[in-house]
Amino acid sequence: MPKCDACGEGTNMPYTCNYCGQEHCKKHQLPENHNCPNIAEANTLGPELRREYQTVPSTSKSKLEDKRVWITVAVVLVGLLTVLLLL
């Protein structure tokens, strides 16, 4: 049975750290839980992911515009439904 490199406890399903390559139990699977020597690398996204997951802070103006669009769509749909019911 494989043993956790952090605590030495035997585990049936060891987790291999993507940053240091050591095997760990479920309790120590995260790099910050087993004092990973490559913790700095684990705390940053690679350039290929940075753009994909980077969030742009929204402004209150864009939220207001989104609400206006949905209200307009709702009014148009209610109008069309009313016209169809009157026919």
Side-chain angles (χ1 to χ4, degrees):
M1 175 183 290
K3 294 188 178 196
C4 174
D5 289 330
C7 66
E9 188 176 308
T11 178
N12 290 332
M13 294 183 63
Y15 295 90
T16 302
C17 177
N18 292 332
Y19 304 101
C20 66
Q22 296 178 342
E23 291 186 340
H24 301 286
C25 63
K26 185 174 183 177
K27 189 168 96 176
H28 294 106
Q29 70 179 351
L30 297 176
E32 55 270 14
N33 291 348
H34 67 263
N35 295 326
C36 184
N38 300 323
I39 191 79
E41 182 183 338
N43 288 334
T44 61
L45 292 173
E48 66 281 353
L49 296 177
R50 207 172 284 133
R51 279 181 245 109
E52 184 176 342
Y53 293 106
Q54 189 174 25
T55 58
V56 177
S58 63
T59 63
S60 59
K61 183 179 177 184
S62 67
K63 288 182 182 179
L64 181 61
E65 289 173 0
D66 287 344
K67 287 180 183 177
R68 287 181 183 163
V69 168
W70 285 110
I71 290 171
T72 304
V73 168
V75 168
V76 169
L77 288 175
V78 168
L80 287 174
L81 183 60
T82 305
V83 169
L84 289 174
L85 290 175
L86 292 175
L87 293 176

